[in-house]
Amino acid sequence: MSDPTLLVLASLADGDKHGYAMMEDIQKFANVRLGPGTLYGAITRLEERGWIRPTGARDRRQPYTITGAGREYLEAQVASLDQVLKTAQRRLKQA
Amino acid sequence: MKLLIRCAALLYPRAWRARYGAELEALTEDVDAGWREFVDICKGAIKMQILKGGAWRFAAACGVAGVIVAGVIALRAPNQYSSMAVLRMAPGDWDERVDRLNQAEQDILSRKSLAGMIQKHDLYPEERKRLPLEDIVQDMRNRHVQIRMLNAPKTNAPARAFTISFESDDPGKALDVTKELTGRFIAAMKDTAPLELLDPANRPLYASRPNRLVMLTVGLVLGLLTGMVLVGIRRWPLVPLAGLGLAILALPATYLIPDVYRSIAVLRSKTADPGQAARQVVSDRAYLQSLILQFGLYPKEPNAVEQMQRSLNVREVGAGNRKFCSVQFDYSDRYKAQGVLKEIVARIGTEVLDPPSLPEQAFTPNRLAIVTTALLAGLLAGTVALAVRRHRTPVLVG
């Protein structure tokens, strides 16, 4: 999985983070290094859709938190990916 | 690098920068941004401009990018200097003198002759390290040596004068080679058709190429067009999809149209009119019928002779010049096209200046033109469909 929006949501599901912390977290759990432009493109889209929002005081290193709608979306995507994963595993065993 | 990153960040739309600019800057400081991050920010900025930025501003930015790219190419392109001499033939039989001049040109621009000049004047030193001499000689003959006949002003008739020019990145070499070519032509023609040197070769003061202003203008226009296309693709995907869809459908359809190959021969006669002789032959129905049977032409056509007459064409070559004519034959098999034309040319019986050619490529259908037309038609249809969709009145239900 390399979709930046899903990676950001997955990172924030664990707790509020600012941009650099998200990058480091995503590097650790997904082994994907998002560039600053890619990360903030994803943050822009997610904030527009209401799936994340800034939290705490306005700061250059602004932390973000996942919203309820964001959690629902993430859960739906994870369920879909899980279905695909299980089907692929089953078919590989049968082959 | 920090400065470059800041400049790249400025490519984002103003409203976006007002909201996220400080955060992006802080992030680039934390990651110790390098070239990868610079490229990533540029890509992100372009995407954001397409999505959020003003279309005209984005197109203008692409225009500026086009100018920068064109500027880099223009600055790296080496100057080319051209030296030219003007010669004139003595009065006499024009056709004979042109023949002798063509013969002299073939000898002077032969591989051996040009290879000798390349060595003598140390031309193309960098290319000689990388490329075979054959390729360099061909390039020199096709691109850098120019021999052009001049027309008399007002009458547009041949003025017996011609120019010899050579282009090089070294003005001194351009002059030396042009002088040598001029000397060789004068020596080759002195016994048969003496040449008069009207204007000796000059040492060029200014580069003739590249025209950097034209290159920058082309870069600007291409950049603007690219910007507008990118904005259009993102905002109105129906338009390019319709264009691509129609182009994709048109391409295989072009293969339903049979290829037609054209073989051409050029004939000459010093006394009679070769065009008239050719027309007599191609209008001889009995002769054409014999060719149809001999070569197995038009197997499924009921009116084979008429079909063949439509595929044969005789034209005078050179404005109203009755001494040269071209004969061409179009057919779906290139070997038969050439074979039939050979028979016809032999029957016409005049001097053959250019024997019937074996066509390498079909001259029709022009698949590129058809697909391009389909693409443009699709783009237009997509634009119209989009306009109609936007102006449709919503239907009220209930």
Side-chain angles (χ1 to χ4, degrees), chain B residues 299-352:
Chain B
K300 294 173 187 171
E301 299 286 335
N303 303 316
V305 173
E306 285 77 18
Q307 180 79 12
M308 189 167 181
Q309 283 181 322
R310 279 195 295 272
S311 302
L312 282 163
N313 196 353
V314 178
R315 280 189 313 146
E316 269 73 32
V317 176
N321 189 337
R322 292 198 167 276
K323 294 194 177 166
F324 295 87
C325 81
S326 74
V327 184
Q328 64 194 40
F329 177 57
D330 303 335
Y331 195 67
S332 54
D333 181 320
R334 60 197 190 113
Y335 294 102
K336 286 187 180 179
Q338 184 193 38
V340 165
L341 196 58
K342 275 183 178 172
E343 291 287 331
I344 291 173
V345 160
R347 188 168 176 99
I348 294 170
T350 57
E351 182 190 350
V352 180

Side-chain angles (χ1 to χ4, degrees), chain B residues 122-162:
Chain B
D122 191 29
L123 304 176
Y124 314 109
E126 293 304 314
E127 289 84 347
R128 276 152 59 198
K129 291 176 191 168
R130 306 181 272 114
L131 299 170
L133 188 61
E134 187 68 46
D135 291 353
I136 298 171
V137 165
Q138 190 170 344
D139 209 37
M140 182 179 177
R141 186 191 295 126
N142 292 340
R143 289 176 55 199
H144 299 140
V145 176
Q146 299 279 342
I147 296 169
R148 288 210 169 100
M149 300 301 298
L150 296 174
N151 285 334
K154 293 183 185 174
T155 65
N156 215 33
R160 300 186 289 118
F162 63 97

Side-chain angles (χ1 to χ4, degrees), chain B residues 105-125:
Chain B
E105 184 181 341
Q106 281 185 15
D107 293 337
I108 293 166
L109 299 187
S110 66
R111 186 197 176 281
K112 187 178 170 186
S113 169
L114 290 182
M117 265 191 252
I118 287 170
Q119 302 285 351
K120 179 179 170 184
H121 297 283
D122 191 29
L123 304 176
Y124 314 109

Side-chain angles (χ1 to χ4, degrees), chain A residues 18-20 23 33-41 43-44 47-48 54 58-62 64, chain B residues 12 16 19-20 22-31 33 36-37 40-41 44 47-48 51-52:
Chain A
H18 55 61
Y20 183 64
M23 279 175 81
R33 184 73 175 172
L34 294 183
T38 306
L39 178 66
Y40 266 88
I43 287 173
T44 305
E47 193 176 356
E48 278 177 356
R58 280 278 174 203
D59 187 42
R60 290 178 77 230
R61 288 170 180 78
Q62 176 67 57
Y64 288 85
Chain B
Y12 279 89
W16 190 93
R19 170 66 185 86
Y20 296 104
E23 294 175 41
L24 182 67
E25 190 180 7
L27 179 59
T28 56
E29 286 167 12
D30 290 340
V31 300
R36 235 170 113 178
E37 284 74 23
D40 186 69
I41 289 172
K47 280 185 191 168
M48 206 55 67
L51 287 172
K52 309 273 182 209

Side-chain angles (χ1 to χ4, degrees), chain B residues 63-309:
Chain B
V64 170
V67 170
I68 292 171
V69 169
V72 169
I73 295 171
L75 283 171
R76 288 175 64 91
N79 286 337
Q80 294 289 325
Y81 299 88
S82 181
S83 177
M84 184 190 292
V86 184
L87 298 103
R88 184 168 62 186
M89 287 187 276
D93 184 342
W94 173 250
D95 288 337
E96 197 182 326
R97 271 157 169 63
V98 168
D99 279 349
R100 297 254 160 87
L101 189 65
N102 288 338
Q103 185 67 46
E105 184 181 341
Q106 281 185 15
D107 293 337
I108 293 166
L109 299 187
S110 66
R111 186 197 176 281
K112 187 178 170 186
S113 169
L114 290 182
M117 265 191 252
I118 287 170
Q119 302 285 351
K120 179 179 170 184
H121 297 283
D122 191 29
L123 304 176
Y124 314 109
E126 293 304 314
E127 289 84 347
R128 276 152 59 198
K129 291 176 191 168
R130 306 181 272 114
L131 299 170
L133 188 61
E134 187 68 46
D135 291 353
I136 298 171
V137 165
Q138 190 170 344
D139 209 37
M140 182 179 177
R141 186 191 295 126
N142 292 340
R143 289 176 55 199
H144 299 140
V145 176
Q146 299 279 342
I147 296 169
R148 288 210 169 100
M149 300 301 298
L150 296 174
N151 285 334
K154 293 183 185 174
T155 65
N156 215 33
R160 300 186 289 118
F162 63 97
T163 62
I164 299 174
S165 64
F166 178 69
E167 191 180 71
S168 171
D169 56 3
D170 183 324
K173 288 181 183 177
L175 172 65
D176 291 341
V177 171
T178 307
K179 272 184 178 172
E180 178 158 352
L181 287 168
T182 307
R184 288 197 189 188
F185 268 95
I186 291 173
M189 302 282 283
K190 72 174 182 202
D191 293 330
T192 52
L195 297 175
E196 182 189 352
L197 182 61
L198 293 181
D199 199 4
N202 59 315
R203 184 185 172 97
L205 296 174
Y206 307 105
S208 56
R209 283 197 301 129
N211 188 328
R212 293 189 168 91
L213 184 59
V214 166
M215 289 175 81
L216 290 176
T217 307
V218 168
L220 174 67
V221 169
L222 285 178
L224 279 172
L225 285 174
T226 305
M228 287 161 69
V229 166
L230 285 174
V231 170
I233 288 171
R234 186 75 197 185
R235 292 191 177 180
W236 308 294
L238 177 66
V239 175
L241 277 175
L244 277 172
L246 212 57
I248 288 168
L249 283 173
L251 181 58
T254 62
Y255 286 93
L256 297 174
I257 306 168
D259 288 346
V260 177
Y261 297 89
R262 173 170 288 175
S263 181
I264 302 176
V266 179
L267 310 177
R268 182 173 71 172
S269 173
K270 289 184 185 174
T271 52
D273 178 4
Q276 193 177 0
R279 285 190 183 88
Q280 276 180 348
V281 169
V282 303
S283 57
D284 184 343
R285 292 177 62 93
Y287 176 65
L288 295 184
Q289 183 64 48
S290 72
L291 285 175
I292 289 167
L293 291 171
Q294 180 185 345
F295 286 90
L297 308 175
Y298 312 107
K300 294 173 187 171
E301 299 286 335
N303 303 316
V305 173
E306 285 77 18
Q307 180 79 12
M308 189 167 181
Q309 283 181 322

